[in-house]
Amino acid sequence: MSSRQANLTIAAFAAAFLCVAPAQAEKGKVGQKVSSVSAKKVYTGTGKVLEGGVVAISGGKIDSVSGGGSEEFHAITPGLVDLGARAGAILWSVEQSNEVTARLSNSAALDPWGLEWDRLVKSGVTTVLATPLDQNVVGGLSQVLKTAGEDSITARTVRKDSVLRGAMGQQPSQRNSPAFGRPTDFYARRPTTRMGVEWEWRSAFHKTALGQNEGGERETLMKALKGEVVLSIAAWTTQDIRTAVFAVEEIKQKELFRSQGLDKPRVVIDAAAEAWKEPQLLARSGIPVVLPPFTATGRTREGALLPRNAADELRKAGVVFALSAHGSGAYDSNLAVQAGAAMSGGLPFDEALKAVTSTPARLVGADARVGSLEEGKDADLALWNGEPFEPTSRVVAVIVDGVLVWDGRD
Amino acid sequence: MMLATFLVLALGGGDVALRADKVWIDGSTSIDKGMVLVRDGRIVEVGAKLDLDEGVRVVECQGHLTAGLVALGAKVGVADAALDPTRPAMPEARVAHALCRDDAGFAALRAQGVTSVVITPEAAKLVPGATAVAKTSGALVSERAHLSVVFGASALSLNREPTSYARQGEMLSELFARPEGALLAAKRGQLPILFEVQSKPELRRAIEFARERKLTGALSGAPLAGELAKEIAESKLAVVVDAGGAGEPRREALAMVELAKAGVPFGFGLDGPRNPWQNLRLVAALAVRHGMPRQAAHDGLTRTAASIAGLSERAGVVKAGFDADLVLWSGDPLELSSAPKAVWIEGALVHGAVQ
Amino acid sequence: MKQHILPGALACAALSILSVDALAGDGKIAIKAGRVITMNGAEIKDGVIVIEDGRITEVAAGAATRWDSELLDHPELTAFPGFVEAHTNRGMDRPNENLEVAPFLDVRDSIDPINFYFEDSLRQGIVALNIQQGPMCVVGAQGRVVRPFGMTVEDMTIKPDAGLKIVAGSRMGRSRATQAMMLRKSFTDVERYLVKLMQDEKDGKDAAKREALFQGRDPEKPENKEGRAMEGVAKWKLSGFEIVGRGLVDKKQEPMLRLVEGKLMAFVQCDGAASVHLALEVARHNGFLANTVLVLDGDSFKAVDAIAEAGVPVVLGPNMVWTERDPLNGKENETFIPSVFAGKKVRFALQSLNSTSQSLWFQAATCVSYGLDRETALASVTSTAADILRLGKRVGRLAPGLDGNVVLMSGDPLSATARVEYVVLDGELVYDRSKDPRAKQLLEGVEQPGAAQQGLPDEEVDPHSGQKKPAKNDKGDKTEKKD
């Protein structure tokens, strides 16, 4: 296989070595800057395919994407983007002493040395949305960040505190009442039902509009209602998806919100397994969704049904969607496998590629930097030894910000 | 005085001079066939040849004589009295008030050659209180040595606020924004802070917190702290290495070497909940085996640790005017084959015997 | 095709996909496909597979279609011999038995023909499964190779007495030493039994005769009366055993004797490299190394040199990527296990992944993505797997003389988008995707009436570590009926 004998063109770290650096190194060294990389096919993520494409890189950014190069790899795609990565969603990432903690940021719970980042990198994922664990109705501020780079969450963050995360459905409520006896801890807090969860959401929005909350809570919820931060709501089943859509539509219609400019929330529904059952509703509302991973039986958590053709049905209905592996980097369930599964349900390759690159980047406002191979964008590249998303191929090397961060070639 | 307990073993009422094969002043200086003159529990003179008065008893010691070791952050003499997770902060609490001087743990420490110890409250809340410094004879030296401030997940609980790192940071900020009492003293630099951390992200947050508020003290706990040696060196904070805490001994030893290389002042802790009586000296010897200079390891056990404990004017160095806290070892204490033969605290023999 | 009268609604639901009404011919069928992957030499473009009386009689390019045979004509599809699951402990009522040494058991009595597992296997293009008892034993039941179709176990059976299950790895709650001791003891117990049997015969005692009568064998019948010297290459062969009529050997001991005499296969489960050495030692000592297949898990691949030297084939564990942490920097290093065995030329077969139900095609495709050549990867789930089970003359290839099994797929068997469209087993069309309601639900979201809306278990978070609890390895088949 030619791609496995391929080489990376490496520019040495120090300027002093630039002139003597071999143009073609034996195998790329992790940590080195890459000046250019080529492949039989370069998929830009914007619908273009360049045969024999070369991506030139300088200063961690893409200089140019052009044709007519050698073929070091079989294919290059933009580094993949997962908005449902659940990376760093540890127990301590959410403050359970209250149901609504909009102001709190999960950045403190993220560990740049955690093993999850390397696992994601090896599966080609270079940008993720890291959210707090969905134990609260409104859990807090979330981070769009790179999966590789410096050992610092701050340095890897693409957009800090740019997404407010919350959840509908069972998860924020299911453990909230003790089975027996008196409540002994926060698990006995409110809410305990789906309608309670929904009430907490609307209450948070209305308190904000009515000026009944204060401080960071108010500030953050105002930003969410004004669309200055994206609102990511986890909702698996049809009923929860409908609840989320109706809550948003209420805001857009009520004078209370409109008069204050609080009617512009930018909502993404995450883990929307049953979105395919409500294509018209979602298309009408213009709310995009992130699908959870496909399962063997089609059943996901919360009893939702996610058939293989869900993504393609959403595409046909004009609903914007992204795919997610919920943080798995394992060969049997990573993001590329999810894209392959969506393709097995009829989704064309180009659309599958978008659903794991440019679309998720755009949904969290990170598309100026990541999600496609275009001049001036971050040089985040997944390098493949075969056709992307086919189970006979895998990501064999990854470049983030122009640096080779993983090389798994033999 | 606690010394009364050890009267029988003491060096005697009058002046006593100890002569050893090698006397280590600190990690960098030693005297072959050196002598240490002790009077009333203190070191009076140290040298190769002392001009001794007549009647001064000279005790011949075979082996190496060093300052007594200083253990940082041991849970000794407090049993479970320091554990109180019910509320998020108790800045005025003092672990000294819960101290049991007859605790068998003191004897175990003495047997290791440890003569001073910093006792910390359990890190089960954001601010669990003040640490105490005691001699391993049981005598209390300071009942408010540091303020313990916890950045580790051990302060989080599902039974009370905070349950998250985010709220932990927010609450600590609130506490330091309107400080009183011990917190005020800590903020003004009058009371050093012992930042309890476990993981590297926690350690980094503690550094940032300290830098923003110009707080001083030491980072305590993180077994892999050395992997962030550069950042720690810039912060000017000292480190208490919680040896054995991560369960990756070789990696931890290499991390300690990095601390020494970066010039970070550090001492050794016995805080590891897995193995509270692990041997302080063996941890240091392991670090030497992995490349730590002998001097840094020796000072980490004695001089630097004493300074982190607030004892820099009285312990950790074999020096005139300092407490006669001494250990006689069968050989170089950083050789694994050596063992403590005799331990003195303020001139009183508290463990072993001079043969 | 055969008519099945199905009792009960569940059975009806389970077999509704089987109500395929095409091909009512009597034993002759010709299958035309645009591409034929034979796993027996080169691929054939526009080929025909002819099956007569349940066996393949012809595989050729453009072969003349017999006027009297039914025709399945699909130039758009790819014909394939179907996948072989070389080892599984699913499809049974319960996979584990609480007797530690029970070679007299047979999975026949545990296999549940209407378990959805078989239907799922058919849907994935699997044509043969080696069902073995679970790993919670020392010496387990006799396994059985079955096809994923049929109303009775006999109807499903491809090969009874497929081999004994032996476990060399440590079991839950037991030390490795205990397991090793019990495994060795199970063989010395057989030896001791046989010695006593000989002595009783010399002493004229009739306990064995009475036991034989009790077990339904007449010890006076010539075939039972006839003695035979002990065969095989075990290091402890008894001389003079011919004085004992073979019909006197207790049924409970007889499978172990057959194993020691080299007349039965053994599937020896190893949970790591340490247990591989025990497995090989026990197999050598007791004379069944040549009949051993190692079923590997954990870091067993580290013993690859010993395995290669012993010359035994292996069935690799479901998870093909082994991850280890570097003790000096805490980073994870990966080993792709099939590459290790391919590199040492050890014959290997793969298993499906139960946790995500990624089937054999996906496992083989993953091998290709890690650099194995396509031929080896495909063989590890077809022809090599069949050879390891000693069924190379029946399944795993498309060639004359083999069982009439053909899987028709919509594309390359290793591609993301290919689906199993038809399955023919023993010349009988048993699966047609267009009539498979569960496939409709999975692929198109068409819910079956009355199907329980049962979700996956929650991703539990351990309140102490804050880490996600690992998903349970779905080995018990109790839950499978519900979904």
Side-chain angles (χ1 to χ4, degrees):
Chain A
M1 201 180 296
S2 68
S3 63
R4 281 198 291 125
Q5 289 130 24
N7 302 308
L8 280 179
T9 313
I10 299 295
F13 250 132
F17 289 110
L18 266 178
C19 51
V20 292
Q24 300 271 306
E26 252 316 291
K27 183 185 152 185
K29 281 217 182 93
V30 167
Q32 280 189 305
K33 287 184 184 172
V34 178
S35 58
S36 82
V37 56
S38 66
K40 215 178 267 182
K41 290 180 185 173
V42 175
Y43 296 99
T44 61
T46 54
K48 271 199 289 184
V49 190
L50 288 140
E51 305 279 337
V54 186
V55 181
I57 301 165
S58 68
K61 302 279 176 187
I62 295 171
D63 246 359
S64 67
V65 184
S66 54
S70 58
E71 296 175 353
E72 298 169 66
F73 291 88
H74 182 92
I76 299 176
T77 66
L80 310 186
V81 183
D82 193 341
L83 297 191
R86 279 136 179 90
I90 55 170
L91 188 63
W92 311 127
S93 66
V94 58
E95 178 58 34
Q96 298 190 58
S97 57
N98 204 317
E99 302 82 35
V100 179
T101 52
R103 70 190 186 283
L104 294 176
S105 164
N106 73 330
S107 60
L110 297 175
D111 175 358
W113 297 278
L115 295 171
E116 65 265 41
W117 310 113
D118 276 354
R119 292 177 192 155
L120 286 164
V121 164
K122 289 173 186 176
S123 70
V125 174
T126 56
T127 302
V128 295
L129 172 64
T131 52
L133 195 65
D134 289 329
Q135 297 298 113
N136 274 10
V137 177
V138 181
L141 291 163
S142 311
Q143 318 302 320
V144 178
L145 75 165
K146 299 281 179 82
T147 52
E150 272 181 62
D151 287 338
S152 155
I153 291 300
T154 314
R156 288 194 205 165
T157 300
V158 178
R159 295 200 67 207
K160 185 173 165 54
D161 293 343
S162 55
V163 176
L164 178 60
R165 172 68 167 195
M168 287 284 176
Q170 285 175 357
Q171 216 179 342
S173 65
Q174 64 190 171
R175 289 192 197 83
N176 283 359
S177 50
F180 305 102
R182 291 172 56 201
T184 54
D185 54 32
F186 291 146
Y187 290 136
R189 68 193 176 144
R190 297 170 304 171
T192 60
T193 60
R194 269 200 156 83
M195 62 181 174
V197 173
E198 192 262 354
W199 181 87
E200 288 283 359
W201 271 108
R202 295 181 63 232
S203 160
F205 293 146
H206 280 81
K207 275 182 182 165
T208 306
L210 292 165
Q212 290 172 351
N213 51 12
E214 56 188 26
E217 284 299 301
R218 179 172 175 73
E219 203 180 302
T220 310
L221 286 163
M222 291 279 270
K223 277 189 189 169
L225 291 171
K226 286 177 181 169
E228 292 166 13
V229 300
V230 173
L231 191 54
S232 164
I233 304 174
W236 294 73
T237 60
T238 319
Q239 69 180 117
D240 293 329
I241 292 167
R242 290 169 64 93
T243 305
V245 172
F246 293 152
V248 173
E249 293 195 337
E250 181 187 18
I251 290 164
K252 291 188 175 173
Q253 283 158 16
K254 262 196 180 169
E255 190 54 29
L256 174 65
F257 294 94
R258 297 177 61 153
S259 60
Q260 303 177 70
L262 300 179
D263 59 341
K264 299 177 188 62
R266 285 160 58 207
V267 175
V268 177
I269 299 181
D270 180 42
E274 293 194 334
W276 61 280
K277 287 188 179 176
E278 293 288 354
Q280 283 81 25
L281 179 73
L282 287 163
R284 183 188 77 198
S285 69
I287 294 177
V289 299
V290 180
L291 295 183
F294 293 94
T295 65
T297 60
R299 290 276 173 211
T300 69
R301 293 181 62 172
E302 308 217 358
L305 180 62
L306 176 67
R308 290 294 152 94
N309 69 344
D312 200 41
E313 290 299 309
L314 292 173
R315 176 187 67 86
K316 287 179 194 158
V319 178
V320 176
F321 65 93
L323 299 172
S324 171
H326 282 195
S328 171
Y331 76 87
D332 61 328
S333 52
N334 62 32
L335 194 52
V337 171
Q338 303 311 323
M343 282 164 62
S344 80
L347 190 69
F349 170 80
D350 283 348
E351 298 294 326
L353 180 62
K354 278 186 200 162
V356 294
T357 55
S358 52
T359 302
R362 182 157 46 84
L363 294 184
V364 290
D367 50 335
R369 284 186 55 187
V370 301
S372 61
L373 302 182
E374 289 173 288
E375 193 187 324
K377 294 202 175 168
D378 292 4
D380 297 352
L381 283 68
L383 310 172
W384 303 73
N385 67 355
E387 278 303 301
F389 314 143
E390 282 296 334
T392 45
S393 323
R394 67 188 177 105
V395 172
V396 288
V398 176
I399 293 169
V400 171
D401 293 323
V403 176
L404 183 69
V405 295
W406 185 63
D407 191 343
R409 288 176 291 168
D410 303 329
Chain B
M1 210 36 196
M2 283 305 294
L3 284 184
T5 327
F6 303 106
L7 207 55
V8 186
L9 304 168
L11 290 167
D15 294 0
V16 175
L18 302 173
R19 177 155 49 206
D21 295 337
K22 193 168 210 161
V23 174
W24 290 92
I25 308 295
D26 58 13
S28 34
T29 320
S30 64
I31 305 168
D32 286 338
K33 287 283 168 206
M35 292 180 81
V36 179
L37 181 63
V38 177
R39 181 183 302 145
D40 296 334
R42 289 189 184 267
I43 298 166
V44 181
E45 211 180 343
V46 184
K49 268 217 172 94
L50 299 185
D51 215 2
L52 297 174
D53 292 345
E54 216 155 300
V56 171
R57 191 154 63 92
V58 178
V59 179
E60 296 294 340
C61 302
Q62 283 178 355
H64 291 224
L65 194 68
T66 70
L69 312 189
V70 181
L72 302 168
K75 298 280 179 303
V76 61
V78 284
D80 57 352
L83 180 66
D84 181 359
T86 53
R87 61 199 92 189
M90 288 167 51
E92 303 309 321
R94 293 181 185 190
V95 75
H97 295 166
L99 194 66
C100 168
R101 298 180 179 203
D102 304 320
D103 189 291
F106 285 122
L109 285 174
R110 290 196 297 268
Q112 285 189 23
V114 175
T115 56
S116 300
V117 58
V118 174
I119 303 162
T120 52
E122 201 75 45
K125 54 177 93 65
L126 301 178
V127 185
T131 69
V133 176
K135 292 290 175 74
T136 51
S137 57
L140 200 61
V141 176
S142 163
E143 65 170 49
R144 204 175 82 159
H146 318 82
L147 185 63
S148 179
V149 173
V150 183
F151 277 78
S154 56
L156 306 177
S157 163
L158 288 175
N159 297 314
R160 54 133 177 83
E161 210 180 9
T163 79
S164 66
Y165 281 128
R167 181 70 182 130
Q168 181 179 33
E170 195 180 63
M171 287 177 81
L172 283 169
S173 298
E174 287 164 8
L175 284 168
F176 276 86
R178 281 183 294 277
E180 292 175 350
L183 281 166
L184 186 61
K187 196 173 181 188
R188 285 178 174 162
Q190 295 154 350
L191 185 60
I193 297 176
L194 215 49
F195 295 96
E196 294 285 353
V197 290
Q198 272 299 313
S199 68
K200 290 196 283 181
E202 293 166 0
L203 184 140
R204 186 178 272 167
R205 281 200 293 283
I207 291 176
E208 277 165 21
F209 190 87
R211 188 177 54 222
E212 283 164 15
R213 291 164 186 79
K214 300 191 171 60
L215 305 176
T216 54
L219 299 155
S220 168
L224 297 172
E227 292 183 357
L228 297 180
K230 220 173 138 232
E231 288 168 54
I232 298 171
E234 281 165 14
S235 77
K236 308 276 183 223
L237 294 169
V239 170
V240 177
V241 180
D242 173 14
E248 297 170 287
R250 288 177 68 197
R251 188 176 167 195
E252 288 169 41
L254 290 174
M256 282 179 221
V257 175
E258 291 303 313
L259 274 184
K261 271 193 204 159
V264 173
F266 67 91
F268 296 96
L270 286 171
D271 206 349
R274 295 156 200 261
N275 191 359
W277 301 115
Q278 70 206 172
N279 195 303
L280 207 64
R281 181 181 64 94
L282 296 186
V283 170
L286 186 69
V288 172
R289 188 189 149 83
H290 281 81
M292 181 183 282
R294 192 201 169 284
Q295 167 270 326
H298 190 118
D299 285 341
L301 290 168
T302 55
R303 179 183 204 130
T304 320
S307 122
I308 293 169
L311 298 172
S312 52
E313 298 304 316
R314 57 182 288 192
V317 187
V318 181
K319 181 178 168 184
F322 274 42
D323 293 354
D325 297 349
L326 299 164
V327 184
L328 175 66
W329 307 86
S330 59
D332 185 332
L334 288 164
E335 291 289 340
L336 289 175
S337 55
S338 307
K341 290 165 79 174
V343 180
W344 293 271
I345 293 177
E346 295 177 17
L349 185 67
V350 295
H351 173 78
V354 182
Q355 293 285 308
Chain C
M1 71 179 280
K2 289 176 198 165
Q3 288 296 311
H4 297 286
I5 298 159
L6 310 179
L10 184 62
C12 285
L15 290 181
S16 55
I17 56 157
L18 312 178
S19 56
V20 176
D21 52 21
L23 302 171
D26 49 356
K28 280 186 191 174
I29 172 171
I31 300 160
K32 276 191 174 179
R35 180 183 173 200
V36 179
I37 300 173
T38 63
M39 298 311 298
N40 184 41
E43 284 183 16
I44 301 169
K45 195 170 178 301
D46 294 322
V48 171
I49 303 142
V50 181
I51 302 169
E52 288 180 46
D53 296 327
R55 300 226 161 207
I56 297 173
T57 53
E58 197 171 351
V59 181
T65 308
R66 314 287 165 98
W67 63 273
D68 59 343
S69 60
E70 290 289 331
L71 183 66
L72 205 56
D73 189 3
H74 287 281
E76 78 286 7
L77 300 181
T78 299
F80 185 67
F83 300 103
V84 178
E85 187 79 75
H87 180 272
T88 178
N89 43 50
R90 302 182 72 189
M92 284 179 280
D93 169 45
R94 267 156 290 177
N96 285 300
E97 170 57 55
N98 59 12
L99 290 171
E100 282 161 332
V101 179
F104 45 86
L105 296 177
D106 190 321
V107 295
R108 174 189 61 221
D109 300 324
S110 198
I111 291 173
D112 175 11
I114 59 166
N115 192 309
F116 274 138
Y117 172 64
F118 295 115
E119 198 190 300
D120 288 337
S121 297
L122 198 57
R123 192 174 287 115
Q124 299 283 1
I126 293 171
V127 298
L129 307 105
N130 174 25
I131 312 275
Q132 292 283 335
Q133 185 181 319
M136 301 301 289
C137 64
V138 177
V139 178
Q142 297 195 52
R144 178 168 289 245
V145 181
V146 299
R147 54 182 202 159
F149 180 78
M151 269 314 296
T152 64
V153 177
E154 280 65 32
D155 200 8
M156 295 170 75
T157 298
I158 296 173
K159 183 189 181 190
D161 292 356
L164 278 182
K165 177 61 168 275
I166 290 177
V167 179
S170 55
R171 284 172 295 153
M172 215 182 297
R174 294 290 177 91
S175 72
R176 199 174 288 285
T178 307
Q179 185 76 5
M181 181 273 285
M182 294 186 69
L183 183 53
R184 291 190 185 111
K185 183 175 177 290
S186 63
F187 286 94
T188 52
D189 283 351
V190 173
E191 185 181 357
R192 197 170 298 132
Y193 164 79
L194 295 174
V195 168
K196 185 170 185 300
L197 198 60
M198 275 169 63
Q199 192 58 48
D200 282 0
E201 185 67 23
K202 285 176 192 163
D203 297 350
K205 291 185 180 167
D206 67 347
K209 280 185 185 141
R210 282 186 283 124
E211 180 64 27
L213 282 167
F214 184 73
Q215 290 180 359
R217 294 186 306 281
D218 180 358
E220 298 305 325
K221 269 192 171 176
E223 71 266 30
N224 289 337
K225 219 172 172 178
E226 189 193 332
R228 194 170 71 238
M230 198 176 153
E231 297 169 33
V233 294
K235 305 231 164 108
W236 53 271
K237 260 196 312 193
L238 305 179
S239 57
F241 191 67
E242 56 275 14
I243 65 166
V244 178
R246 283 294 172 127
L248 292 184
V249 178
D250 192 320
K251 264 188 182 170
K252 292 202 284 292
Q253 308 285 354
E254 193 262 351
M256 290 289 268
L257 177 58
R258 271 206 284 156
L259 182 69
V260 171
E261 288 194 297
K263 293 178 174 163
L264 200 57
M265 287 181 75
F267 291 87
V268 188
Q269 189 121 18
C270 302
D271 64 346
S275 54
V276 168
H277 297 283
L278 173 68
L280 294 176
E281 176 222 297
V282 169
R284 275 197 185 101
H285 185 77
N286 296 292
F288 62 92
L289 186 71
N291 295 316
T292 292
V293 177
L294 296 181
V295 181
L296 303 180
D297 235 325
D299 66 352
S300 298
F301 69 90
K302 290 180 179 174
V304 66
D305 287 330
I307 295 169
E309 195 208 321
V312 295
V314 297
V315 180
L316 302 182
N319 186 3
M320 301 191 295
V321 175
W322 174 255
T323 306
E324 250 175 6
R325 282 188 76 176
D326 185 323
L328 291 186
N329 64 20
K331 298 258 183 201
E332 285 181 334
N333 294 320
E334 289 182 348
T335 305
F336 189 67
I337 295 168
S339 301
V340 175
F341 288 93
K344 299 278 181 182
K345 308 239 183 296
V346 174
R347 282 190 303 156
F348 66 90
L350 306 177
Q351 291 184 64
S352 296
L353 258 167
N354 288 345
S355 54
T356 47
S357 286
Q358 292 288 18
S359 195
L360 291 172
W361 69 272
F362 182 89
Q363 298 284 69
T366 302
C367 287
V368 175
S369 81
Y370 276 89
L372 262 71
D373 65 276
R374 186 187 148 90
E375 201 57 33
T376 307
L378 260 181
S380 70
V381 292
T382 56
S383 51
T384 305
D387 292 344
I388 288 174
L389 299 178
R390 301 188 179 167
L391 286 170
K393 299 280 178 216
R394 296 199 54 190
V395 297
R397 293 179 180 86
L398 291 177
L402 270 72
D403 291 1
N405 302 334
V406 179
V407 174
L408 285 167
M409 302 186 75
S410 62
D412 187 90
L414 301 187
S415 86
T417 50
R419 288 173 187 168
V420 171
E421 298 292 343
Y422 301 97
V423 179
V424 173
L425 292 182
D426 298 316
E428 186 182 357
L429 181 62
V430 298
Y431 179 81
D432 176 348
R433 190 176 66 80
S434 66
K435 292 171 182 166
D436 176 359
R438 290 186 75 220
K440 270 202 157 52
Q441 171 167 321
L442 175 65
L443 298 171
E444 294 157 39
V446 180
E447 287 181 82
Q448 298 176 89
Q453 293 227 346
Q454 196 185 4
L456 290 182
D458 281 352
E459 296 165 29
E460 286 284 347
V461 171
D462 183 344
H464 302 291
S465 67
Q467 301 290 315
K468 278 180 197 164
K469 285 183 183 169
K472 284 182 196 129
N473 194 2
D474 175 22
K475 284 204 170 139
D477 284 329
K478 276 286 165 194
T479 54
E480 290 184 353
K481 287 178 190 170
K482 291 182 204 153
D483 59 17

